[in-house]
Amino acid sequence: ATRSPSPSCALSSLICHSHSSALLTMQRLLLLALAALGSTLRVGPLAAPPRALLRTPRATPVRMAEDPEELEMELLEVMESMEDRMKKSVASVTEQLATLRVGRATPDMLARVEVDYYGAMTPLNQLASVSAPTPQQLVVDVYDKDGLGDVERAIIESDVGMTPQNDGKLIRLNVPMLTEERRKELAKTASALGEEGKVAIRNVRRDAIDKIKKLEKRGVSEDTSADNQDEVQKALKKAEGEVEAAVAAREKEITTI
């Protein structure tokens, strides 16, 4: 006779069937959800990260604080150099003004004459001695007598306005009295020399100010920088005043008969 399943076996079979159905339902729901998500996102190959993200960030250089004593020394050197260059500019103007003749003989009249001596331009005072035995005459004694012709030619080609007389041993120059027209020309030359000198002095001022500002960026205090810039400006005014005084004095000598 056929035996009917026991109640416990039937219950177990029902539970297993229910679990299987539930799992299948969950799997179908999950597949449907993934399909819907995939159609929405359109999943593609992974994009490469931006190039900027791949770069290694550069390390920001750290500026080390400079030694205050070294900065102070550099600042002192700037100021000393400025003063020295301005003094030399004033001296240069004074020397050039002295070469302008004022009606009486002075050796400085030939200070700007350069001689083509064996192919090299050489200042006359390195090749000869110049003296003024009388108020109206200059005497040039050339060390190397073979160079007398070169010296004579250089004097003629210069702007001294005198005709040399070469006797084979010495060169003599008679200093003529200045005409009114010539005096005016020399006065203009003196003024031009003064302007050139002031331009040179202003260039020195500009260089010094630039260097002071650079030192300020490196650590010199703003107050110290400002004080030294003021000192540069004062030195400029002083040097310009000296040039103007020298020019005025020379102009007076030139125009005085």
Side-chain angles (χ1 to χ4, degrees):
T2 301
R3 295 179 61 183
S4 59
S6 65
S8 60
C9 290
L11 180 59
S12 298
S13 177
L14 179 60
I15 292 172
C16 290
H17 179 71
S18 298
H19 285 175
S20 298
S21 298
L23 288 174
L24 288 174
T25 301
M26 292 178 64
Q27 289 176 353
R28 289 173 182 172
L29 291 173
L30 181 58
L31 289 174
L32 290 173
L34 289 174
L37 182 62
S39 63
T40 302
L41 298 180
R42 295 180 181 178
V43 178
L46 292 176
R51 183 175 298 178
L53 296 178
L54 297 177
R55 294 176 182 169
T56 302
R58 294 181 180 179
T60 303
V62 178
R63 182 183 293 275
M64 300 298 292
E66 297 196 42
D67 187 350
E69 292 186 0
E70 291 184 2
L71 292 175
E72 184 178 351
M73 288 297 297
E74 288 188 40
L75 182 58
L76 181 61
E77 290 175 0
V78 169
M79 298 301 290
E80 289 179 346
S81 174
M82 176 272 299
E83 292 178 357
D84 182 59
R85 291 174 62 192
M86 284 191 179
K87 288 180 180 178
K88 288 181 178 179
S89 295
V90 173
S92 176
V93 172
T94 302
E95 291 171 2
Q96 292 182 72
L97 289 172
T99 65
L100 302 178
R101 65 188 183 93
V102 294
R104 60 180 179 275
T106 61
D108 289 335
M109 290 179 176
L110 304 182
R112 289 190 296 170
V113 175
E114 290 192 342
V115 182
D116 185 354
Y117 188 64
Y118 293 104
M121 299 306 295
T122 309
L124 174 61
N125 58 16
Q126 294 183 14
L127 302 175
S129 64
V130 181
S131 60
T134 70
Q136 300 300 319
Q137 189 180 73
L138 289 174
V139 175
V140 180
D141 186 2
V142 181
Y143 305 136
D144 179 6
K145 301 308 178 184
D146 291 336
L148 274 168
D150 295 330
V151 172
E152 181 182 11
R153 189 179 307 108
I155 294 174
I156 293 173
E157 294 175 353
S158 70
D159 61 352
V160 297
M162 293 179 284
T163 302
Q165 299 174 1
N166 182 0
D167 64 5
K169 294 181 179 179
L170 300 172
I171 294 177
R172 291 181 172 85
L173 297 99
N174 292 321
V175 181
M177 295 297 293
L178 294 177
T179 63
E180 184 65 23
E181 182 179 356
R182 181 57 177 165
R183 290 180 187 278
K184 290 180 180 179
E185 291 177 357
L186 289 173
K188 289 181 180 179
T189 301
S191 178
L193 290 174
E195 288 302 317
E196 291 176 5
K198 288 195 284 187
V199 169
I201 293 169
R202 289 165 189 159
N203 288 337
V204 174
R205 184 271 306 270
R206 181 197 61 206
D207 292 344
I209 294 294
D210 288 344
K211 290 177 180 178
I212 292 172
K213 289 180 178 179
K214 289 180 180 179
L215 288 172
E216 181 180 344
K217 292 180 180 179
R218 291 169 53 192
V220 170
S221 69
E222 293 183 5
D223 290 342
T224 300
S225 174
D227 290 344
N228 281 271
Q229 290 184 51
D230 288 343
E231 290 300 319
V232 171
Q233 189 64 26
K234 291 177 182 178
L236 169 72
K237 294 300 181 182
K238 179 182 177 182
E240 285 185 332
E242 292 174 354
V243 168
E244 291 171 356
V247 170
R250 197 57 171 165
E251 287 177 337
K252 183 177 180 180
E253 292 177 350
I254 292 171
T255 56
T256 300
I257 300 176

